[in-house]
Structures are given as structure tokens and as C-alpha cells.
Amino acid sequence: MDSVPTFSRFDDAYKSHTAPWVIGEPQPAIVGLERAGLVRSKVLDAGCGTGEHTILLTRLGYDVLGVDSAPTAIEQARANAAEKGVDARFEVADALDLGVQGRYNTVIDSALFHIFGDISGDADRAGYVASLHAACAPGALVHVLALSDKGRGFGPEVSETVIREAFGGDGWVLEALDETTYRGVVLEPHVEAIGLPAGSIVDEPAWLARARRI
């Protein structure tokens, strides 16, 4: 698990409840995917955090597993599901070794892909994409919601080129790459860049990619 670019600071963010990506609800872009019929069981929620997407999809009847490398995130996700009365499943897992989790027809990645290459190196990004490929059944869809380099520095950002290079090679067909938004909470380190008080909810520019595993 040490190879995953969460390091201790990510687990610490969950412990201190200072994770700007925890908004207490699913990302609107992910909700839209399900409503558009682009989610099929069996589903993997990679980098599930406190579990909002896993809980949503479980409640809607999907066979879904949420995984995260941060043990505190998984603890909070399980508590979150129990509070909502949803029998959602969560496990601690290494994003660079998702193949051991089984073979999936849909993978949801909300704000995990953009960490690779920013906090860790490009090799870890390639390793993560290879891990996704191993975890997916042929024809599976991987949906990646990542902060765009058109944003204001809310968090790690990626360019269109990075996504196209990651999912445009052997084993993938990039079916869509759309501009959308990612919702988060403004914390003190981002106040100056965002121009809003701490605690504000913002919708920052993001990419929503859809890649098919071949």
C-alpha cells in the first residue's frame, strides 16, 4: 500500500476532517453518469473516500465495491453507510494493484487519477492505468472525473493531453472527454486562489473522461 500516492497526509486529512473533496454528497457529474445509463454492475469505486458514490450506487441496486488506500477513509465510509442504512461494501486497497479485487464492468474514479503524476511520478500514473485495465472486464467503462488545468489551483490538476495519452494507447478507446465541474470545499490554503471564504462550496473546472477497456 505504500506505493499509492496518498502518503500520510491523505489519511490525516480524513482524521482531521479537512479533506476539501469531502462534501457529504455524490459529485453531480457522477450522478449524471448513472442517470445517463453509463453505469453497469459490477462497479468499482476507486478512491472512494467517505463512500458517497458507493452508497448512492448500492442504494440504486448496483453491485459495487468502494476501495481506498486510506484506512480512515474506509472507516468513515462504513460509518457513513451505516448511518444511512445502506449495506455498502468497502475495502482498503492499493490503487496500483486493483486486479486482485476482481473484474468490473464499470469503474468510477472521482479525483484519484489527477493525484498521480502530481504528487507521485508519471510512472505511478501509468501503473494506475495498467491496474485499471487489469481490474476491468473487456468492454468495461472507466469514468474519470479529474480537476482541469483550467482551474484556479483548488487541487492537483491535469490537462486534456495527459488524459488522452493515458487512455489513448493499447488496451483503451477514449470514447469521450468532456468539460464539467468538480465540487469541493474551500479550505484556508485555497482561500486566496479561489477568492472565497473558507467553508465555501465551489464547482471547479474538471474533465469527465469515458474510456472503454479493450
Side-chain angles (χ1 to χ4, degrees):
M1 200 168 71
D2 291 340
S3 58
V4 182
T6 53
F7 307 129
S8 61
R9 83 181 218 190
F10 284 86
D11 202 59
D12 288 345
Y14 288 107
K15 289 178 180 178
S16 60
H17 300 281
T18 57
W21 55 89
V22 175
I23 59 173
E25 62 180 302
Q27 288 288 331
I30 303 300
V31 173
L33 288 175
E34 194 283 325
R35 290 177 176 171
L38 292 170
V39 176
R40 293 184 297 130
S41 293
K42 194 175 184 180
V43 183
L44 178 67
D45 181 8
C48 66
T50 51
E52 283 75 16
H53 301 125
T54 301
I55 292 169
L56 168 70
L57 295 175
T58 300
R59 180 179 279 153
L60 292 173
Y62 294 90
D63 178 1
V64 52
L65 174 66
V67 299
D68 203 291
S69 66
T72 302
I74 295 301
E75 291 174 8
Q76 293 179 2
R78 289 170 176 163
N80 193 11
E83 182 180 344
K84 292 178 170 59
V86 179
D87 189 22
R89 296 183 297 126
F90 299 97
E91 294 180 7
V92 176
D94 187 336
L96 299 181
D97 191 15
L98 294 173
V100 298
Q101 299 298 322
R103 302 183 69 80
Y104 297 90
N105 292 311
T106 308
V107 176
I108 302 294
D109 173 337
S110 176
L112 178 56
F113 175 84
H114 66 209
I115 292 172
F116 293 95
D118 181 88
I119 294 173
S120 63
D122 291 340
D124 275 347
R125 179 186 290 133
Y128 173 55
V129 173
S131 177
L132 287 172
H133 193 273
C136 288
L141 293 178
V142 174
H143 300 289
V144 175
L145 177 62
L147 285 169
S148 166
D149 58 350
K150 298 179 182 181
R152 297 176 286 181
F154 180 77
E157 299 174 346
V158 294
S159 67
E160 176 180 356
T161 299
V162 165
I163 295 176
R164 290 193 181 279
E165 288 179 349
F167 293 100
D170 292 342
W172 299 101
V173 173
L174 186 61
E175 295 188 340
L177 181 55
D178 301 317
E179 293 184 345
T180 185
T181 57
Y182 180 85
R183 184 164 294 172
V185 181
V186 177
L187 299 181
E188 287 296 340
H190 303 127
V191 166
E192 184 174 352
I194 303 300
L196 291 171
S200 301
I201 300 295
V202 293
D203 289 327
E204 285 295 292
W207 300 108
L208 183 61
R210 183 175 76 246
R212 184 178 297 277
R213 193 265 203 203
I214 57 175

